[in-house]
Amino acid sequence: MRKLALHWQIIIALVLATVTGLIFSPDSAIFGIRFYAVFDFIGTLFLNALKMIIVPLVVASLITGIAGIGGGKGLGRLGAKSLLFYMTSSLLAILTGLFLVNLFNPGIIDGQAAKNVLGLSADAVATVESKVGGKDTSDIAGVFLSMVPTNVVAAAANGQMLGLIFFSIVFGYFMTRISEPYAESQFNFWQGLFEVMMKITEWVMRFAPIGVYALVAKVVMNTGLGAFKPLAVFFITVLFALLIHFLIILPMLMKLLTGLNPVRHFKAMAPALLTAFSTSSSAATLPLTMECVEKNAGVSNRTSSFVLPLGATVNMDGTALYECVAALFIAQAYGLELSLTTQFTVVVVALLTSIGVAAIPSASLVAISIILATIGLPAEGIGLILAVDRVLDMCRTAVNIFSDSCGAVIIAHSEGEEGLLTGEKQA
Ligand code: ASP
């Protein structure tokens, strides 16, 4: 009997998880064992396994990738192309969000600023404080400062990806500048490490359907459907904007720049997209993103090992879009006049902060608090969106990694790579 493709297994897990989550409440138990606790355990185990792979995979893939590119010219060209793609796609995403938030005005309910209608519970304010603390615009500078880590081991231990990426790029670059026997043994070592990490990824991926089932059942149990009603217009605005970016703008960009068939790319990326959706973390999904981009989409290791780890950290289209819509929704809800200057400020700060947002669940909230501070609103405003944040996080994370993968294909094509999205390299 033919084995069901991984993405189908994950889709079935998603459906079953939604049904389970709707049937049971967080307190449901059998023989005194709470389902919620079991799902939490299994989901965390799966997430831990994915996270375990990240540091060695990112370091090894970047070092071998950069060393493979060799000279400064190739690296400069690849870097410039990647940054151009990241900026363009994120900006397009933000502008889509900006357009829709102005069209739907989710923060205005029956002609009134929604703050009064929705109310802010003391609970929500406390959660906001614990999640985002007192952030302001000076934190943007902090993000860029952490690019050069004082201690690379600490950066790895604390998941400071930007610092780790910077170190790996510099290491890979200078590895090609040392004498032959050392350079070769270094290269073999890092290449070997990279291959081992990819094998571990393949192995962890086999558990994806179970992990996804547990993670999603937990979210559905927690959130239920009630939370969506008062925030329905906001929810739909974000979802609609994300869908436009995901289904129209990115595929069009890809078709225009490469002539390749975007439908094939959706198919190639399906397991990674579904995992991003279930885990709400681009970082945790990175191993799968690399696996799908290399094995299914046929992008070379040279390109993907540079574009993807960097992209997972700095290129977050879904996040940038969400930040813009959420900040303007809160501003509308507080009755703030949305002048052109305010909107422009939101666009720029959303673009900058999306670069620094950590690739973990709910990380956008910190960035949104920075935007709110910039336009003169209190951080408690975030309390308005908390109820639906988790589900929207799932959607924006999938968009984040889809954008990275489109970038990898577009850049690979521009570098003259052949056999992209032909299905030939499919596992
Ligand atoms: N969860 C998102 C990610 O990992 C970041 C965010 O928007 O909160 O890509």
Side-chain angles (χ1 to χ4, degrees), residues 280-283 316 319 357-365 393 396-397 400:
S280 294
S281 167
S282 314
M316 296 194 176
T319 296
V357 165
I360 54 172
S362 297
S364 291
L365 296 180
D393 197 2
R396 66 186 185 251
T397 307
N400 287 346

Side-chain angles (χ1 to χ4, degrees), residues 276 279-285 311-313 315-320 322-323 354 357-368 389-390 392-394 396-401 404:
T279 59
S280 294
S281 167
S282 314
T285 314
T313 314
N315 179 41
M316 296 194 176
D317 291 10
T319 296
Y322 181 68
E323 284 179 29
S354 73
V357 165
I360 54 172
S362 297
S364 291
L365 296 180
V366 176
I368 295 169
D389 181 68
R390 178 63 203 221
L392 293 175
D393 197 2
M394 299 163 87
R396 66 186 185 251
T397 307
V399 175
N400 287 346
I401 76 111
D404 298 338

Side-chain angles (χ1 to χ4, degrees), residues 6 8 62 64 80 82 115 131 179 195 215 221 362 377 407 416:
L6 183 65
W8 282 115
L62 269 174
T64 48
S82 306
K115 181 174 177 270
K131 278 199 167 158
S179 58
E195 302 211 342
L215 287 170
M221 268 184 188
S362 297
L377 285 173

Side-chain angles (χ1 to χ4, degrees), residues 58-322:
V58 167
V59 173
S61 81
L62 269 174
I63 291 179
T64 48
I66 301 290
I69 297 167
K73 254 208 187 128
L75 178 59
R77 200 183 55 232
L78 209 59
K81 280 182 191 171
S82 306
L83 291 185
L84 185 68
F85 175 81
Y86 298 157
M87 286 294 159
T88 314
S89 65
S90 298
L91 199 62
L92 286 172
I94 297 177
L95 294 179
T96 310
L98 184 72
F99 177 72
L100 287 190
V101 84
N102 279 298
L103 191 69
F104 291 150
N105 288 317
I108 298 166
I109 299 179
D110 298 331
Q112 265 199 60
K115 181 174 177 270
N116 311 324
V117 187
L118 296 172
L120 268 186
S121 67
D123 242 18
V125 176
T127 320
V128 171
E129 273 165 9
S130 73
K131 278 199 167 158
V132 303
K135 301 275 176 189
D136 60 32
T137 30
S138 61
D139 290 306
I140 299 182
V143 164
F144 289 98
L145 271 183
S146 71
M147 258 183 197
V148 183
T150 47
N151 178 340
V152 68
V153 180
N158 300 327
Q160 270 177 21
M161 295 312 283
L162 275 182
L164 206 61
I165 286 175
F166 178 77
F167 177 79
S168 311
I169 292 178
V170 175
F171 191 99
Y173 179 77
F174 284 103
M175 213 170 86
T176 58
R177 298 282 178 279
I178 56 176
S179 58
E180 204 29 74
Y182 307 118
E184 200 183 313
S185 66
Q186 274 291 316
F187 191 81
N188 285 340
F189 169 76
W190 292 107
Q191 184 69 34
L193 178 61
F194 174 72
E195 302 211 342
V196 173
M197 294 322 295
M198 289 302 271
K199 283 270 177 265
I200 299 182
T201 305
E202 274 171 35
W203 175 66
V204 172
M205 252 168 97
R206 291 202 214 144
F207 299 94
I210 302 173
V212 162
Y213 173 77
L215 287 170
V216 175
K218 212 183 95 186
V219 172
V220 180
M221 268 184 188
N222 255 339
T223 317
L225 292 179
F228 295 92
K229 274 190 211 126
L231 288 165
V233 185
F234 169 67
F235 187 80
I236 291 169
T237 309
V238 176
L239 208 62
F240 200 39
L242 286 173
L243 279 175
I244 293 180
H245 192 66
F246 181 69
L247 293 177
I248 302 176
I249 297 181
L250 285 172
M252 245 169 61
L253 210 59
M254 184 162 162
K255 181 86 195 158
L256 278 177
L257 295 174
T258 66
L260 295 167
N261 182 352
V263 178
R264 286 196 177 165
H265 189 54
F266 278 112
K267 241 183 109 194
M269 293 309 297
L273 290 173
L274 293 165
T275 308
F277 180 80
S278 314
T279 59
S280 294
S281 167
S282 314
T285 314
L286 180 62
L288 268 83
T289 317
M290 296 196 68
E291 171 89 13
C292 292
V293 166
E294 286 189 22
K295 293 256 163 71
N296 302 350
V299 173
S300 73
N301 177 244
R302 173 183 175 273
T303 305
S304 66
S305 62
F306 179 78
V307 179
L308 294 177
L310 196 62
T313 314
V314 306
N315 179 41
M316 296 194 176
D317 291 10
T319 296
L321 180 156
Y322 181 68

